[in-house]
Amino acid sequence: SGIQVTSEGERHLGAVLGTEEFRKRYVMDKVAKWVRDVEQLAEVGKDDPQAAYCAYTKALCHRWTFVQRTIPGISELFRPLEDALRQCFLPAIVGRQISDTERGLFTLPVRLGGLGISNPVEGSELEFQASVKITDNLKKLIIGQESSLDGYQAGAVAEVTSDCLKDKEVRLLRRISAIVSNSSDERLKRSITLAQEKGAGAWLTVLPLGSLGWVLNKEEFRDALGLRYGWQIPNIPAFCVCGKKNSVDHTLICKNGGYLIFRHNKIRDTNAAFLREVCHDVRTEPELIPIDSSQTVQGNTEERARLDISARGLWGPFQKTM
């Protein structure tokens, strides 16, 4: 008849029902597969950390969420997965081994200065308890064998969900407060504060789309992480060409390095691109109209002096705006 009778347990709707030993075996098999997936992704991360990071945060990390929410008492079974993240995946995308403080920091969401790579051991029981609270009303309807959802209290469920999110936010804020208070690295503390600014982590959450110029090679991605957390950037000269001691701060302000010009030109080109959407004859760095020696003007009067942008039609038809 094809019917199998078992006294141990069986998979049901993506979770498992049965004895503790059967549930343990089921979860361990799942975790072993996820560990292999993480290890394979770590190999990708050695050469393309941005793609590996995006694949993990957008897809892979959600594979075990349902299991955590539906099976109690399985936190320690996720230890091999956490070890794979700590020892293989994170070193692959960062480019070096990480400390306990850094691992704790990386568990935080991007908006709070982390990387959004949570610890599955710590999160398992929390996910289950939140799921129990949110589904309590629906569970009572199923136990009571109700034939309709008239007794489903959507408002109460939404309120419980909101309370769970608030509790989670409190836990996250406590964690980041503990990281900051326990750290003696003032640069790291300052970097965490800056990483929490609105939009500071947008480059981590976007998809690496080449058509939009959002793709970073492994050096760019790891250098960006270094800038985010105040780490020492590897392979930079000890001294600048101007003779001063080199650092990230000095590189960004030294007139000999080119970054001042790069930043200026990027803003100029972005504004010019917007103007081309609505104006005509948009030019970058056009020459100013020459003046004769009898005119008295303020500003740059040198030959072939230029400004940033000119466009026609911004303030009036055919009017040229500098």
Side-chain angles (χ1 to χ4, degrees), residues 61-75 78 107 116-136 160-161 164-165 167-168 171-172:
C61 70
H62 301 294
R63 291 186 178 179
W64 46 84
T65 303
F66 184 78
V67 171
Q68 292 179 329
R69 290 176 177 175
T70 53
I71 305 176
I74 58 173
S75 297
F78 283 88
T107 62
I117 303 178
S118 61
N119 186 328
V121 177
E122 296 176 353
S124 180
E125 195 61 28
L126 295 173
E127 289 283 355
F128 179 77
Q129 294 300 331
S131 178
V132 169
K133 293 178 182 178
I134 294 171
T135 59
D136 182 66
V160 172
T161 303
C164 289
L165 291 174
D167 292 341
K168 182 179 180 180
R171 289 195 302 271
L172 293 173

Side-chain angles (χ1 to χ4, degrees), residues 56-269:
Y56 179 84
T57 56
K58 303 293 185 185
L60 183 59
C61 70
H62 301 294
R63 291 186 178 179
W64 46 84
T65 303
F66 184 78
V67 171
Q68 292 179 329
R69 290 176 177 175
T70 53
I71 305 176
I74 58 173
S75 297
E76 282 303 315
L77 300 182
F78 283 88
R79 182 66 62 183
L81 183 59
E82 167 59 18
D83 291 341
L85 291 171
R86 171 69 185 271
Q87 300 170 11
C88 297
F89 182 72
L90 284 169
I93 64 172
V94 172
R96 61 169 177 79
Q97 292 296 323
I98 62 172
S99 65
D100 292 339
T101 299
E102 290 169 342
R103 180 62 185 111
L105 179 60
F106 294 163
T107 62
L108 296 169
V110 172
R111 62 183 173 83
L112 292 181
L115 292 180
I117 303 178
S118 61
N119 186 328
V121 177
E122 296 176 353
S124 180
E125 195 61 28
L126 295 173
E127 289 283 355
F128 179 77
Q129 294 300 331
S131 178
V132 169
K133 293 178 182 178
I134 294 171
T135 59
D136 182 66
N137 180 241
L138 188 59
K139 178 188 69 176
K140 292 178 179 178
L141 294 178
I142 295 174
I143 293 176
Q145 294 293 290
E146 299 292 337
S147 58
S148 69
L149 292 176
D150 294 339
Y152 182 70
Q153 301 171 0
V157 172
E159 185 175 347
V160 172
T161 303
S162 177
D163 291 340
C164 289
L165 291 174
K166 290 178 182 177
D167 292 341
K168 182 179 180 180
E169 188 72 11
V170 170
R171 289 195 302 271
L172 293 173
L173 293 176
R174 286 176 179 171
R175 165 164 291 181
I176 195 167
S177 177
I179 291 173
V180 171
S181 61
N182 293 333
S183 176
S184 59
D185 188 346
E186 293 299 326
R187 189 176 182 87
L188 177 61
K189 293 180 180 180
R190 176 62 175 163
S191 297
I192 293 174
T193 301
L194 293 175
Q196 295 177 41
E197 294 287 338
K198 185 176 181 179
W203 64 277
L204 284 166
T205 57
V206 299
L207 293 173
L209 301 177
S211 60
L212 298 177
W214 294 345
V215 176
L216 302 176
N217 61 40
K218 61 181 180 181
E219 184 179 43
E220 292 169 338
F221 184 82
R222 288 168 183 162
D223 285 353
L225 286 178
L227 294 174
R228 178 174 172 85
Y229 295 115
W231 299 335
Q232 177 66 37
I233 304 298
N235 304 321
I236 62 173
F239 291 91
C240 180
V241 293
C242 69
K244 295 182 179 179
K245 188 175 181 180
N246 198 20
S247 66
V248 172
D249 293 335
H250 179 78
T251 301
L252 295 175
I253 63 175
C254 181
K255 295 181 180 180
N256 293 327
Y259 283 100
L260 289 175
I261 299 174
F262 295 159
R263 294 200 301 272
H264 168 272
N265 290 351
K266 181 63 177 178
I267 296 173
R268 179 203 64 194
D269 294 342

Side-chain angles (χ1 to χ4, degrees), residues 3-16:
I3 299 176
Q4 296 182 355
V5 179
T6 176
S7 60
E8 292 186 340
E10 187 61 50
R11 178 181 180 275
H12 180 66
L13 297 178
V16 63

